[in-house]
């Protein structure tokens, strides 16, 4: 979808964009192609797209995937998408009756435009939707140009546990992308890095200049590619991992041992650090993912049920 088409569409529908919904639409064909390439789609893939907007990414995903589930909060854009793709609005996308347009009121050949059979459009707040309807996303890929204001909570919500998508290709603020890709010792390394990297391996990223969006945002963006990894932690230690990471980064410049002792017995914490050959003065920003994983196992064994969140 070209910039001129976007402008025409918005003018035709009388839509004034809403800044608080992060409505910056990607019109650069080259960047859109790179995003789709990073998704490595096959004809069997099911794709979750959060915030389809006017559909510049959606239109590239649809011919390459078995199914696209698109969740858009703005009713005006839902109406545009519905018209553009002759899409069916899915009240409950798990309803099998909606898996085919004929079953959900789509029009057939000879009766006007044919519905896009592999698009399910949901009008909802994506974060509410994900929290309200926890489902198994493990057979899915997330491919989205995410709304800035909710990008981090959406990724943190989706990324955790056995039900997370197999791949997440997300376009977001450059600053958030750096946090997702960060390594120990870097200033961007923190809670979001570890919560996401526990289950996802960073597989590269590229910068997308602000000029590729309409309207042009104040900051550059980046597309990150995260691929699901084999589980590093048993389910029973996950709560401890989240609690430890949040506590350890609650005051970045403080010694991690001191902070953890607020929630775990001092001798248990000291013993765990010794076993991991971590200095008693280590700060969270220098501790690797693997060390946090082992720390969680040790502390969880010593004090089960202490999530400390
Ligand atoms: N994918 C389109 C593109 O690349 O041009 C639009 C991306 S734009 C950055 C973000 C989109 O997310 C907007 O269409 C906005 O209305 C929608 N949005 C904002 N907050 C949302 C939420 N909580 N749930 C679902 N969609 C949301």
């Amino acid at each position: 979808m070209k910039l001129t088409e976007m402008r025409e569409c918005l003018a035709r529908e009388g839509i004034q964009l809403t800044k608080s919904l992060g409505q910056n639409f990607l019109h650069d064909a080259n960047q859109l192609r790179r995003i789709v390439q990073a998704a490595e789609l096959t004809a069997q893939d099911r794709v979750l797209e959060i915030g389809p907007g006017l559909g510049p990414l959606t239109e590239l995903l649809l011919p390459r995937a078995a199914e696209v589930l698109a969740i858009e909060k703005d009713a005006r854009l839902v109406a545009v998408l519905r018209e553009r793709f002759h899409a069916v609005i899915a009240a409950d996308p798990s309803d099998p009756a909606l898996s085919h347009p004929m079953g959900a009121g789509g029009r057939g050949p000879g009766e006007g435009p044919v519905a896009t059979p592999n698009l399910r459009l949901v009008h909802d707040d994506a974060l509410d939707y994900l929290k309200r309807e926890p489902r198994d996303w493990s057979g899915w890929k997330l491919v989205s140009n995410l709304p800035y204001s909710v990008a981090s909570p959406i990724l943190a919500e989706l990324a955790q546990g056995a039900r997370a998508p197999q791949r997440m290709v997300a376009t977001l603020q450059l600053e958030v992308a750096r946090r997702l890709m960060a390594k120990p010792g870097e200033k961007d390394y923190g809670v979001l890095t570890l919560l996401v990297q526990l289950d996802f391996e960073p597989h590269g990223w590229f910068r997308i200049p602000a000029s590729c969006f309409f309207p042009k945002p104040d900051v550059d963006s980046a597309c990150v590619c995260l691929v699901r990894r084999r589980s590093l932690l048993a389910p029973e230690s996950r709560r401890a991992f989240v609690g430890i990471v949040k506590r350890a980064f609650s005051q970045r410049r403080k010694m991690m041992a001191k902070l953890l002792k607020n929630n775990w017995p001092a001798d248990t914490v000291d013993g765990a650090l010794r076993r991991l050959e971590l200095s008693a003065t280590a700060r969270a920003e220098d501790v690797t993912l693997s060390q946090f994983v082992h720390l969680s196992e040790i502390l969880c064994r010593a004090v089960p049920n202490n999530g400390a969140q």
Side-chain angles (χ1 to χ4, degrees):
M1 191 175 197
K2 293 191 190 115
L3 177 56
T4 47
E5 291 171 306
M6 283 185 177
R7 284 183 196 274
E8 275 166 21
C9 175
L10 293 171
R12 192 172 55 243
E13 303 296 330
I15 297 176
Q16 299 276 346
L17 294 177
T18 309
K19 207 171 175 184
S20 62
L21 287 178
Q23 292 179 338
N24 303 98
F25 300 135
L26 185 54
H27 57 78
D28 185 291
N30 190 34
Q31 303 292 354
L32 284 159
R33 244 191 325 268
R34 291 177 82 190
I35 294 171
V36 175
Q37 267 169 13
E40 297 188 3
L41 292 175
T42 69
Q44 287 73 44
D45 279 335
R46 291 187 290 169
V47 174
L48 171 63
E49 188 190 4
I50 290 173
L54 294 171
L57 185 55
T58 322
E59 70 183 350
L60 299 182
L61 298 172
L62 284 168
R64 292 168 174 83
E67 178 181 345
V68 176
L69 170 59
I71 308 175
E72 172 58 57
K73 184 170 178 170
D74 189 330
R76 301 168 305 171
L77 299 176
V78 172
V80 169
L81 291 164
R82 188 181 183 178
E83 179 71 22
R84 200 176 158 209
F85 297 107
H86 310 292
V88 170
I89 310 282
D92 173 5
S94 61
D95 181 353
L98 296 169
S99 65
H100 191 279
M102 296 302 130
R107 282 174 287 186
E111 300 172 58
V114 179
T116 310
N118 59 341
L119 174 62
R120 295 196 202 182
L121 192 54
V122 176
H123 176 209
D124 207 340
D125 179 301
L127 193 55
D128 290 349
Y129 177 90
L130 295 175
K131 287 188 170 165
R132 198 176 55 238
E133 307 197 27
R135 66 171 59 212
D136 189 353
W137 295 107
S138 58
W140 291 70
K141 291 178 175 176
L142 172 80
V143 188
S144 297
N145 174 14
L146 291 171
Y148 284 173
S149 57
V150 282
S152 305
I154 281 178
L155 283 181
E157 180 67 31
L158 264 178
Q160 287 178 55
R163 297 166 157 222
Q166 52 176 279
R167 180 180 283 253
M168 301 200 293
V169 177
T171 301
L172 23 73
Q173 267 169 293
L174 183 58
E175 171 229 318
V176 181
R178 288 202 170 112
R179 285 162 59 202
L180 290 166
M181 298 286 130
K183 298 190 180 74
E186 294 178 354
K187 75 170 172 40
D188 296 304
Y189 185 68
V191 175
L192 183 65
T193 317
L194 287 154
L195 293 190
V196 172
Q197 289 192 11
L198 177 64
D199 291 300
F200 286 85
E201 214 169 324
H203 268 228
W205 65 283
F206 55 89
R207 193 180 185 120
I208 306 184
S211 58
C212 297
F213 297 86
F214 173 78
K216 188 178 160 196
D218 298 332
V219 293
D220 284 350
S221 296
C223 174
V224 301
C225 178
L226 296 154
V227 177
R228 186 77 201 270
R229 60 164 112 228
R230 135 196 106 69
S231 183
L232 298 176
L233 203 53
E236 60 274 15
S237 305
R238 280 179 172 267
R239 209 166 141 240
F241 177 87
V242 176
I244 289 165
V245 166
K246 286 187 175 168
R247 174 53 82 185
F249 279 97
S250 58
Q251 290 167 281
R252 283 186 85 91
R253 306 305 300 161
K254 275 208 170 167
M255 287 185 277
M256 182 174 75
K258 260 195 168 160
L259 294 167
L260 294 182
K261 284 174 189 174
N262 287 316
N263 300 87
W264 282 270
D267 52 345
T268 309
V269 172
D270 289 336
L273 295 191
R274 272 196 305 277
R275 275 182 65 184
L276 294 174
E277 298 182 0
L278 274 168
S279 149
T281 60
R283 294 195 179 102
E285 61 196 18
D286 298 316
V287 178
T288 65
L289 170 65
S290 151
Q291 286 169 324
F292 271 115
V293 165
H294 288 126
L295 194 54
S296 309
E297 286 166 342
I298 298 169
L299 294 186
C300 186
R301 258 198 309 273
V303 191
N305 303 322
N306 187 359
Q309 289 181 64

